[in-house]
C-alpha cells in the first residue's frame, strides 16, 4: 500500500494532469490558440521566401493599363468575348472569369459572350450572388451554362477573424467554389471536401508571383500565346482602384484573381 505522502503526491499529479487535459480541450474548443497557428503560418511563408511561379495557372488582369486605354469599366461583354476567343485560340486549358456576369446588359453583348463561352467550353464563371439552393443568374442561369458545357462557381473568399486570407472553401449554398469547380473539371473527380473546406492555400510567394498578362493586351492580341497554352487562365480585376485587393498569408495587397489562381493551383496539387 502507498504511504500517505506518496498517495497525496500521486493524487496531486493526477489532478494536475486532469486539469491540464481539460484546459487543453477548452483552448482547442474555443480557438484561443488559433491566432498562434495563423501567425506561425504567416511566418513560415515569410521565411520560405518566393518560390517559382505556379506552372499551371496565369492571371489576365484588368489592370491600370487596361483601364487607361479601354472604355469605362465595366466593359462591354463584347470585349470579354474577344478576350475569351483569343485565349481559346491560343490553347488555354480552361478559363475562369473572376468577374460577375449576373445581370443582363444588351442583347448583342450578352449573346456574344454566351457564344464565345460555348465555343471555349469549359469556362468557369465566378459569382457571389448565389441563392440558398445554389442557383445563380450568370448568363441566364445554371441551366443555360450547363447546356453549353460551362458552369458557375462561388467566387467567395473567406478571411480569418483577423481579415487575412489563408484558406480555401469547398462550396457556398451547395455551389462549388472556383477552385473546387476547376479541380473537378480538370481531374474528373471532386476534391476531398475536408481538404477544400479550410485547407491552407499554398501561396508560392508575395503578391505578383503568379504570372500576369494585361487584359488590354490579350484583347488586342499583343501577348505571348505560349504563356497561356495548356494553362488555367483566371481573368479578373487587378487594378487597385477596382477594390478587389486582399490581405493574405503571403502578403498584401494581393488581387482576387491571384488569390483564386493560388487556390486553384493548391487544389490541383492536392494541398501539398
Amino acid at each position: 500500500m502507498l504511504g500517505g505522502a506518496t498517495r497525496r503526491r500521486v493524487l496531486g499529479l493526477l489532478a494536475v494532469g486532469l486539469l491540464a487535459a481539460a484546459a487543453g480541450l477548452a483552448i482547442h474548443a474555443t480557438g484561443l490558440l488559433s491566432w498562434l497557428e495563423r501567425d506561425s503560418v504567416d511566418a513560415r511563408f515569410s521565411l520560405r521566401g518566393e518560390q517559382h511561379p505556379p506552372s499551371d495557372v496565369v492571371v489576365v488582369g484588368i489592370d491600370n493599363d487596361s483601364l487607361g486605354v479601354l472604355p469605362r469599366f465595366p466593359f462591354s461583354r463584347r470585349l470579354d468575348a474577344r478576350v475569351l476567343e483569343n485565349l481559346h485560340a491560343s490553347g488555354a486549358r480552361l478559363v475562369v472569369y473572376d468577374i460577375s456576369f449576373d445581370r443582363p446588359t444588351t442583347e448583342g453583348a450578352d449573346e456574344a459572350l454566351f457564344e464565345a463561352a460555348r465555343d471555349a467550353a469549359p469556362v468557369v464563371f465566378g459569382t457571389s450572388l448565389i441563392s440558398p439552393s445554389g442557383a445563380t443568374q450568370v448568363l441566364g442561369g445554371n441551366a443555360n451554362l450547363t447546356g453549353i458545357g460551362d458552369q458557375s462557381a462561388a467566387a467567395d473568399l473567406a478571411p480569418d477573424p483577423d481579415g487575412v486570407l489563408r484558406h480555401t472553401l469547398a462550396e457556398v449554398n451547395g455551389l462549388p467554389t472556383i477552385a473546387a469547380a476547376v479541380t473537378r473539371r480538370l481531374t474528373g473527380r471532386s476534391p476531398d471536401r475536408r481538404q477544400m473546406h479550410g485547407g491552407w492555400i499554398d501561396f508560392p510567394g508575395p503578391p505578383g508571383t503568379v504570372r500576369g498578362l494585361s487584359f488590354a493586351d490579350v484583347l488586342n492580341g499583343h501577348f505571348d500565346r505560349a504563356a497561356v497554352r495548356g494553362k488555367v487562365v483566371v481573368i479578373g480585376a487587378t487594378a487597385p482602384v477596382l477594390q478587389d485587393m486582399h490581405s493574405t498569408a503571403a502578403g498584401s495587397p494581393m488581387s482576387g484573381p491571384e488569390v483564386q489562381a493560388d487556390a486553384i493551383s493548391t487544389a490541383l496539387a492536392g494541398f501539398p
Side-chain angles (χ1 to χ4, degrees):
M1 295 181 61
L2 296 176
T6 303
R7 194 164 92 179
R8 284 193 297 272
R9 186 171 68 253
V10 170
L11 291 174
L13 289 172
L14 285 172
V16 169
L18 289 171
L19 286 171
L25 289 172
I27 289 172
H28 179 75
T30 57
L32 290 176
L33 290 183
S34 59
W35 65 272
L36 285 175
E37 186 178 28
R38 293 195 296 265
D39 286 353
S40 171
V41 167
D42 296 352
R44 279 178 273 170
F45 276 119
S46 176
L47 290 171
R48 185 178 72 169
E50 186 171 337
Q51 307 294 297
H52 291 294
S55 61
D56 47 3
V57 292
V58 64
V59 169
V60 170
I62 301 173
D63 54 4
N64 289 328
D65 290 341
S66 299
L67 295 179
V69 301
L70 297 176
R72 191 169 70 176
F73 186 82
F75 307 137
S76 167
R77 291 179 184 177
R78 293 184 186 276
L79 302 190
D80 293 295
R82 281 169 50 192
V83 166
L84 186 51
E85 290 165 356
N86 287 346
L87 292 172
H88 180 59
S90 300
R93 188 179 183 190
L94 184 151
V95 176
V96 174
Y97 266 104
D98 189 22
I99 302 171
S100 293
F101 296 115
D102 301 283
R103 295 184 177 26
T105 57
T106 66
E107 184 176 351
D110 294 348
E111 186 64 26
L113 180 56
F114 188 80
E115 291 178 357
R118 178 188 59 205
D119 294 340
V123 179
V124 173
F125 290 93
T127 180
S128 294
L129 295 179
I130 306 164
S131 77
S133 65
T136 77
Q137 291 302 313
V138 177
L139 295 183
N142 293 356
N144 277 1
L145 292 178
T146 299
I148 60 173
D150 299 330
Q151 74 177 92
S152 59
D156 298 69
L157 300 166
D160 285 332
D162 59 355
V164 177
L165 291 171
R166 299 181 181 88
H167 302 283
T168 57
L169 276 177
E171 60 184 39
V172 176
N173 293 345
L175 186 71
T177 57
I178 287 175
V182 170
T183 302
R184 176 70 177 84
R185 284 278 181 168
L186 297 187
T187 67
R189 63 182 184 277
S190 297
D192 188 321
R193 191 182 185 285
R194 291 170 297 179
Q195 287 184 315
M196 282 299 307
H197 194 71
W200 297 104
I201 299 175
D202 186 20
F203 295 101
T209 300
V210 176
R211 182 167 185 180
L213 301 172
S214 172
F215 184 92
D217 289 344
V218 176
L219 174 69
N220 296 320
H222 301 150
F223 68 103
D224 179 9
R225 285 161 173 75
V228 303
R229 190 173 301 125
K231 307 289 180 63
V232 176
V233 182
V234 182
I235 304 173
T238 59
V241 70
L242 297 179
Q243 299 183 351
D244 189 11
M245 309 302 290
H246 306 271
S247 295
T248 74
S252 62
M254 183 179 289
S255 72
E258 185 169 9
V259 179
Q260 298 286 7
D262 286 335
I264 289 167
S265 185
T266 297
L268 288 174
F271 291 87

